[in-house]
Amino acid sequence: MERSTMHVANVAPTSARASKRTAKHVEGDVTPPLAATTVGNGAGPLVGVAVVAAAAGAAVHRAFFTPKPPKDRMPFALPVGEPLEGDTDSFAANLGYHAKFSAATEPLVFGPKQAYKTVAASVQERLVERWDETYALFEEKDPKMAYYISMEYLQGRALTNAIQNIGRNSEYEQALTQFGYDLEDLEEMELDAGLGNGGLGRLAACFLDSIASCDLPAWGYGLRYKYGLFKQVIKKDGQHEVAEDWLDEGRSPWEVRRDELKYDVGFGGKVVGGKWEPENVVCTTAYDMPIPGYKTRNTISLRLWSVDPPSSEFDLSQFNAGEHLKAQEAQILGLEICAVLYPGDDTLEGKKLRLRQQYLLCSASIQDLMATFKRRQLMHKGRVNWDEFASKVAVQMNDTHPTLAVPELIRILVDEEGLTFEKAWTISCKTLNYTNHTVLPEALEKWPLKLLDELLPRHMEIVRRIDSDFIASMKPLAGESQEDFEGRLAKMTILENFYKQPGDDSEDSPAPLVRMANLCVIAGQYVNGVAALHTEIVKADVFNHFYKVWPDKFQNKTNGVTPRRWLAWCNPELSAVITKWLGTDSWVTDLTKLKGLAQYAKDPELQKEWKAAKVARKEKFAVWVKEETGIDIPIDSMYDVQIKRIHEYKRQLLNILSTVYRYKKIKEMTPQERKEVVPRVIMFGGKAFATYVQAKRIVKLIVAASEIINADKEVGDLLKVVFLPNYRVTVAEMTIPATELCQQISTAGMEASGTSNMKFMMNGSLTIGTLDGANVEIRQEAGAEHFFLFGAVTEDVPKIRADRAAGKFVPDPRFEEVKDYIKSGVFGESFEELLSSLEGNEGFGRGDYFIVGHDFPSYLEAQQAVDEAYKDESRWLESSVLNTAASGKFSSDRTIRQYASEIWDIEPCRVP
């Protein structure tokens, strides 16, 4: 039984109580309406005024379209404040209430958008009580809490996920039929929240789902970006960027604005007497999104910070004097902080804005979690004991973006709470943890010291102190010369180019930088990689000098994805087959149970059902692709997909070169030879950063090639190429269940983990890939014979690059052939600027740094092996089943339990 309540937003609920609304009753006979008509394009039914007054609820529906009820039934009763029974009529009545009071917009109209808002309001009502119960329990039990700080969260649509997680799918589906709507149709009304870009954000969202589902006391902190990263528009000349529109109507129906929860965040100014006097201060406001667990009442928060400038910052006198923009300058400076995810940082102003974003996230989050600690200390102990802070708080910095949490925590402890620096440093080192997500040097953030001194002068005093103490603590290793020691130490310090050596006074000396990753490693209690191979690279290369000093600090936590969103909910056909053959749906919370499918992998009946589930998803996906792109993709073709952020190391360029080569070979074939070709639809999806020119050139080539290939009647359905526009979670939920071959083809040693590879594997896709990131573990789990391997291994990449620089590289003739074919202008232009990166031996933008040319021949051979395997349907289906059966390791539930026990030291705290 669900209880429907109105939520009173408290900073910390102290009980599970919530205010009750008194049920309102409307009495009297109801006259059947005149014939219903419709308004506008696709608007909902337009009916009599009496119906509108009754909120178009389920009771109204029964009064008008069923025999008149007995007089004591009171058809207009809307008992939303009473316990909500688990029957269709109770849910329909609740929807009726929200149709009038939560989603009402234009009178007499109840269209799809209003219907979506109605259901969202009703579902949120279910979540809010669980939310309050969860935090009331946390307040009562005072468990150690974990706080996950991340710049990105790619949540995807919330409606279906929430309904499924709380186990009310059938009730809402049936209740909606009384309104003339289908739940699946209303899902299309929801826009993806613009809170992330790629794997970093999707991983963070999976982690929150698993935290809630595993009953762990933790929550997430992020920023509420009004315009997201960008919405990608694909035209003939490639990618264009426009602002995300997810907040165009003011507020997401899933967020609760906490007006009583605000923190001041300062910038600039000076330090006087050891205390910071900022020049500018912005006020942050919290917006909470509920994250429900599966088969539990635990519901946690994703707390997003936004800057909502007060009216006092609007200069009315300047405005009336005609200085309209200047009058709003202070407000604009505040609003721009949360306007866009990852604003371009090629300019000084762009760098400054990025840092302001990062500090706002860190400062508001640290202030908030410290306030929670103090409140609970006073509640349970009667006083605040900072010695207990690390035993009650664990902070996870997701990549280097939240690095400023380190000096901010110390600043508050020292400047505001009166602790000594030494004690504050000890506390921070037991509290903060760092997840590394990259081995790319450019992604290990470095910021100009001068800029940070200007923005955060007090924090840079603290950073200098940390660095100075660190240097003083370092000693030469056994057998290490003084020269080698100094060289090693120079790579480990937080400040780069700062400590001048004799004779280093040249005006050409590089400007000092702050190495954020080094600060994370020095301050963090634990540092973890996100795949076995990645962690070994972190220990052996990226942070090798630190690893030699603190080997116990480093851990591996192989990523995972939530099996709820990424299999159970997005692929209901396959999920039904899995549940039937396993005889239970308990695999949704224990993914290792999928291994039970392996014994049936050769069973013709399972293979028949498995194929039918895949075809069903392909059919739905083909409809969506046609609607979005205008391209017809044959159901009988192999669906071959690469969906990732567009980057040179992810090697979409390798994929499109192979695709063009395939196209050229098909055109050269005789009609008889073409009968042996495996038809393919090769699909790309992903965003190129607006300022990443080479990545945008890759998109342009893919789009140009698709235009020519798809229009070639000679090739016909043997090959189609599609660029899926504006890739996001919702697109992935459509694409992944329909995919038969996924491409995980990054340069070996450059992908930290990847998570799309895990989602594809769960859904029965086979993988063509390199031994990079989590591919290594995926291949180990699935078996080498069920993975199409190609390319260099990590250990060989440095030598390959060295040989290229020495002029020893001899390109495969097929590689030269496909480049020359593109240069001929067959796709409208020569793409010389793009292809020049594959030529020459060395130099910026030259020398094929990502070894596309080296791996091209083995990639073609692996693709040929794919074709041969696909021709044997039974063999392919067996491999598909075995991939799903072997995917149990890659549940984010497993990953989060490892974080909880091995890094955060927290235990489940389940709502009864």
Side-chain angles (χ1 to χ4, degrees), residues 284-451:
T284 61
T285 303
Y287 287 76
D288 280 1
M289 285 189 170
I291 310 294
Y294 175 64
K295 289 194 172 180
T296 175
R297 291 191 69 82
N298 281 54
T299 299
I300 64 168
S301 281
L302 169 57
R303 179 157 288 173
L304 303 171
W305 302 109
S306 182
V307 177
D308 299 327
S311 58
S312 59
E313 291 185 0
F314 180 79
D315 193 324
L316 188 60
S317 60
Q318 283 193 326
F319 191 86
N320 287 332
E323 298 285 346
H324 299 148
L325 287 177
K326 194 170 183 180
Q328 302 172 73
E329 186 175 17
Q331 292 182 314
I332 292 170
L333 287 172
L335 289 170
E336 71 177 6
I337 297 176
C338 294
V340 175
L341 169 64
Y342 301 140
D345 61 355
D346 290 344
T347 66
L348 180 62
E349 288 303 311
K351 288 181 174 64
K352 187 180 297 185
L353 181 54
R354 283 259 193 131
L355 281 169
R356 290 171 70 210
Q357 274 190 344
Q358 292 184 8
Y359 177 62
L360 183 106
L361 168 64
C362 294
S363 179
S365 302
I366 293 295
Q367 289 185 67
D368 191 50
L369 66 88
M370 293 179 81
T372 297
F373 169 76
K374 291 171 70 174
R375 182 181 65 251
R376 292 181 184 174
Q377 283 276 295
L378 291 171
M379 182 187 306
H380 291 277
K381 303 291 180 66
R383 66 185 185 88
V384 177
N385 182 358
W386 290 105
D387 290 333
E388 295 185 6
F389 186 76
S391 67
K392 291 295 183 181
V393 175
V395 175
Q396 193 69 38
M397 299 180 289
N398 192 30
D399 216 339
T400 53
H401 310 123
T403 304
L404 291 168
V406 177
E408 177 69 353
L409 176 57
I410 295 172
R411 181 191 69 82
I412 296 173
L413 288 173
V414 174
D415 296 358
E416 298 182 15
E417 301 298 337
L419 276 63
T420 65
F421 179 88
E422 290 77 12
K423 188 168 185 177
W425 173 245
T426 299
I427 290 171
S428 68
C429 289
K430 292 179 180 179
T431 302
L432 300 163
N433 305 282
Y434 162 53
T435 300
N436 173 269
H437 284 278
T438 184
V439 299
L440 297 178
E442 65 269 23
L444 295 172
E445 293 180 298
K446 299 180 182 181
W447 295 106
L449 175 61
K450 181 179 179 181
L451 179 57

Side-chain angles (χ1 to χ4, degrees), residues 86-363:
D87 62 274
T88 300
D89 286 351
S90 294
F91 277 79
N94 184 253
L95 292 177
Y97 172 85
H98 286 292
K100 181 175 179 67
F101 295 107
S102 300
T105 52
E106 184 179 351
L108 309 185
V109 173
F110 188 66
K113 185 174 288 188
Q114 289 75 31
Y116 160 69
K117 290 181 178 180
T118 293
V119 181
S122 176
V123 174
Q124 192 191 50
E125 202 171 50
R126 314 280 75 73
L127 297 181
V128 156
E129 183 172 85
R130 295 165 176 247
W131 211 359
D132 279 349
E133 289 175 359
T134 303
Y135 286 102
L137 181 67
F138 291 173
E139 290 289 304
E140 176 190 347
K141 299 295 185 183
D142 190 24
K144 183 177 182 180
M145 297 280 297
Y147 300 95
Y148 198 82
I149 305 181
S150 178
M151 286 292 286
E152 292 188 44
Y153 292 91
L154 268 175
Q155 294 294 109
R157 290 171 173 168
L159 180 62
T160 302
N161 189 71
I163 290 175
Q164 295 275 20
N165 270 16
I166 66 174
R168 293 299 186 182
N169 194 63
S170 62
E171 287 88 345
Y172 278 108
E173 281 186 339
Q174 293 169 27
L176 274 168
T177 62
Q178 299 189 30
F179 292 79
Y181 286 107
D182 182 85
L183 182 58
E184 188 173 344
D185 294 334
L186 297 189
E187 293 169 7
E188 299 304 312
M189 296 295 103
E190 183 175 357
L191 300 176
D192 285 33
L195 300 174
N197 172 42
L200 187 77
R202 188 57 237 156
L203 177 73
C206 286
F207 280 1
L208 293 187
D209 178 88
S210 288
I211 286 168
S213 297
C214 295
D215 301 317
L216 292 167
W219 66 25
Y221 284 116
L223 293 181
R224 183 178 180 264
Y225 307 103
K226 183 171 184 180
Y227 303 115
L229 182 73
F230 59 79
K231 181 187 288 188
Q232 182 190 56
V233 177
I234 298 297
K235 299 182 180 179
K236 288 187 177 182
D237 59 346
Q239 171 182 296
H240 295 259
E241 303 88 27
V242 298
E244 291 268 18
D245 56 355
W246 77 289
L247 289 177
D248 274 7
E249 294 190 7
R251 189 181 301 179
S252 163
W254 302 103
E255 61 186 10
V256 174
R257 176 181 164 124
R258 307 288 197 184
D259 283 305
E260 76 290 352
L261 196 58
K262 298 176 183 288
Y263 296 102
D264 288 339
V265 177
F267 299 97
K270 57 188 176 180
V271 180
V272 178
K275 296 295 180 69
W276 182 27
E277 296 180 358
E279 180 181 3
N280 305 112
V281 176
V282 298
C283 182
T284 61
T285 303
Y287 287 76
D288 280 1
M289 285 189 170
I291 310 294
Y294 175 64
K295 289 194 172 180
T296 175
R297 291 191 69 82
N298 281 54
T299 299
I300 64 168
S301 281
L302 169 57
R303 179 157 288 173
L304 303 171
W305 302 109
S306 182
V307 177
D308 299 327
S311 58
S312 59
E313 291 185 0
F314 180 79
D315 193 324
L316 188 60
S317 60
Q318 283 193 326
F319 191 86
N320 287 332
E323 298 285 346
H324 299 148
L325 287 177
K326 194 170 183 180
Q328 302 172 73
E329 186 175 17
Q331 292 182 314
I332 292 170
L333 287 172
L335 289 170
E336 71 177 6
I337 297 176
C338 294
V340 175
L341 169 64
Y342 301 140
D345 61 355
D346 290 344
T347 66
L348 180 62
E349 288 303 311
K351 288 181 174 64
K352 187 180 297 185
L353 181 54
R354 283 259 193 131
L355 281 169
R356 290 171 70 210
Q357 274 190 344
Q358 292 184 8
Y359 177 62
L360 183 106
L361 168 64
C362 294
S363 179

